[in-house]
Amino acid sequence: QSQPVQAEAAPVESPAESRALATFEELVLLAEDKRDIKLRTLLRKNVRVVSFSDGRMEINLAGNPPREFVSDLSRKLLGWTGRRWTVAVSA
């Protein structure tokens, strides 16, 4: 009789690992750490920070970022930090 085999799932960026971001620069460095060069470049070139605190940021968009930029940023922040972020775009 064979024993049941228990497979362990490879860890995917677990939402249980909560990560705090205190500054916008930490977010840019996190994008770099995650090798998301496209996002890092968009953050540097197309975002002007109005306010930033852990879990919430208000930004102005400069230039011509992709239409889905803010939703992509929110989704990646959720995956990278383990919680939802409020990303507000102001004029």
Side-chain angles (χ1 to χ4, degrees):
Q1 246 180 340
S2 62
Q3 294 280 24
V5 176
Q6 292 213 344
E8 286 206 22
V12 179
E13 293 184 77
S14 168
E17 297 172 26
S18 186
R19 180 171 185 163
L21 298 175
T23 66
F24 180 74
E25 187 59 29
E26 286 181 19
L27 169 57
V28 173
L29 292 173
L30 179 58
E32 202 167 284
D33 286 348
K34 298 294 183 180
R35 292 187 167 82
D36 194 330
I37 304 309
K38 180 181 176 188
L39 180 62
R40 185 206 64 190
T41 302
L42 287 167
L43 289 169
R44 287 203 186 276
K45 289 187 172 186
N46 299 100
V47 173
R48 306 290 173 264
V49 180
V50 175
S51 65
F52 190 99
S53 59
D54 189 40
R56 182 180 189 344
M57 73 176 96
E58 184 177 348
I59 58 175
N60 289 99
L61 295 178
N64 196 11
R67 188 176 326 167
E68 66 281 353
F69 170 70
V70 174
S71 60
D72 285 350
L73 175 60
S74 296
R75 184 176 40 78
K76 288 176 182 182
L77 280 166
L78 173 61
W80 293 345
T81 66
R83 62 190 182 291
R84 295 200 181 283
W85 277 64
T86 301
V87 180
V89 179
S90 64

